[in-house]
């Protein structure tokens, strides 16, 4: 099937094209996603890697009109949440890793993905590492959830959809919307709206590479592979 510049489920754009085409979309058409797209996006999001493969994300798919309206209010009235046919709340479970550990190890064993020695030791090693994180466990869980969200965003772009990443929400209110109001185990890493772009903004550009990329150490701006010594000074 011929690939269009927009991409589709049957003829998705290559990853670099999806990266270049992606813009943060703030206005969506009301049309629902084409059949198959939503399921595909969810499947691809959860293929993301995570620390110890413990998959701390708890992704809530919000499509119902009344739920979207509540989420819109919890996101300080950002219109993209009201307009998009679907928004995802990337929640995290702080303690969920304890209850999924056995299933994670069993799946890896059945697939022959881990050597027996590693599979035997992993629960002990992971438990020690997770417990040692203390307050930083939330940060680690958020990292994993954002990687999953980015998988979803680039997959959506490759299929002709637009997306809007959002930090602009009241976490307590979003938790209430998804039914976790009083649950201290649950956090919100991101809200993400997805749909067909009504309009795409222009690329706001990025800082020059030498301001944000460095060679070996932060005091050596990156000047491109050809102009850079490969060894540390
Ligand atoms: C983690 C994250 C949170 C963001 N939060 C919001 C938001 O709450 N509302 C919004 O309109 N845009 C939000 N943005 C979009 C950024 O403003 C946008 O990505 C940036 O200006 C670059 O534009 P581009 O995505 O088109 O390249 C967010 C982006 C990221 C990555």
């Amino acid at each position: 099937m011929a690939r269009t510049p927009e991409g589709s489920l049957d003829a998705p754009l290559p990853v670099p094209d999806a990266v270049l085409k992606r813009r943060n979309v703030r206005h969506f058409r009301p049309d629902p996603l084409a059949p198959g797209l939503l399921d595909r996006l969810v499947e691809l999001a959860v293929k993301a890697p995570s620390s110890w493969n413990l998959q701390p994300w708890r992704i809530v798919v919000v499509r119902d009109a009344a739920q979207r309206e509540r989420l819109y209010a919890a996101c300080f009235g950002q219109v993209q949440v009201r307009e998009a046919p679907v928004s995802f709340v990337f929640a995290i479970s702080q303690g969920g890793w304890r209850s999924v550990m056995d299933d994670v190890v069993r799946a890896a064993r059945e697939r022959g993905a881990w050597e027996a020695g590693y599979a035997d030791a992993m629960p002990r090693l992971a438990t020690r590492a997770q417990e040692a994180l203390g307050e930083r466990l939330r940060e680690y869980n958020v990292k994993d959830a954002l990687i999953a969200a980015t998988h979803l965003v680039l997959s959506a772009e490759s299929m002709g959809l637009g997306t809007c990443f959002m930090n602009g929400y009241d976490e307590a209110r979003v938790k209430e919307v998804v039914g976790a109001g009083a649950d201290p185990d649950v956090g919100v890493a991101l809200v993400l709206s997805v749909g067909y772009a009504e309009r795409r903004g222009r690329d706001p550009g990025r800082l020059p590479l030498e301001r944000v990329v460095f060679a070996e150490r932060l005091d050596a701006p990156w000047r491109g592979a050809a102009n850079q010594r490969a060894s540390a000074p």
Side-chain angles (χ1 to χ4, degrees):
M1 190 168 292
R3 187 177 283 129
T4 68
E6 286 77 37
S8 69
L9 180 60
D10 300 322
L13 297 180
V15 174
D17 292 352
V19 169
L20 292 171
K21 175 172 158 269
R22 188 205 59 77
R23 295 272 65 82
N24 205 61
V25 171
R26 294 192 175 88
H27 289 285
F28 291 94
R29 307 204 311 255
D31 323 32
L33 304 197
L37 281 183
L38 182 55
D39 285 332
R40 189 74 179 136
L41 289 179
V42 170
E43 285 162 14
L44 292 171
V46 300
K47 294 292 181 198
S50 58
S51 184
W52 300 100
N53 200 26
L54 290 171
Q55 305 158 59
W57 46 72
R58 301 291 181 267
I59 304 167
V60 184
V61 184
V62 176
R63 285 188 298 172
D64 173 77
Q67 272 295 75
R68 279 163 50 200
E69 204 55 28
R70 290 185 200 103
L71 188 60
Y72 158 74
C75 294
F76 307 129
Q78 297 202 60
V79 291
Q80 56 272 30
V81 181
R82 179 178 254 175
E83 293 179 2
V86 57
S87 291
F88 298 85
V89 175
F90 277 80
I92 47 170
S93 168
Q94 303 281 67
W97 61 272
R98 292 186 194 275
S99 58
V100 303
M101 182 80 81
D102 288 350
D103 290 337
V104 165
V105 175
R106 188 176 314 112
R109 274 190 208 279
E110 283 169 8
R111 290 161 167 263
W114 293 346
E115 288 176 11
Y118 178 74
D120 291 342
M122 184 277 193
R124 183 173 39 81
L125 297 173
T127 298
R128 197 192 303 153
Q130 293 283 99
E131 288 178 346
L133 285 173
E135 300 258 299
R136 294 187 70 206
L137 180 60
R138 178 184 162 107
E139 178 188 329
Y140 276 51
N141 288 336
V142 168
K143 289 187 210 186
D144 290 335
L146 294 190
I147 293 168
T150 305
H151 273 56
L152 196 158
V153 161
L154 294 181
S155 301
E157 286 294 333
S158 80
M159 296 170 193
L161 296 166
T163 60
C164 184
F165 282 106
M166 271 167 285
N167 271 342
Y169 55 81
D170 179 322
E171 182 165 9
R173 291 179 69 187
V174 173
K175 280 178 62 171
E176 261 171 38
V177 172
V178 300
D183 189 347
D185 179 64
V186 174
V188 178
L190 188 82
V191 177
L192 179 65
S193 291
V194 178
Y196 295 96
E198 172 71 46
R199 55 178 185 267
R200 274 171 193 273
R202 298 183 81 148
D203 180 355
R206 295 296 188 260
L207 294 167
L209 284 187
E210 62 270 21
R211 290 187 62 188
V212 292
V213 184
F214 303 87
E216 319 300 342
R217 292 165 43 98
L218 275 169
D219 56 4
W222 177 254
R223 300 195 191 284
N227 302 318
Q228 213 77 54
R229 288 200 329 217
S231 56

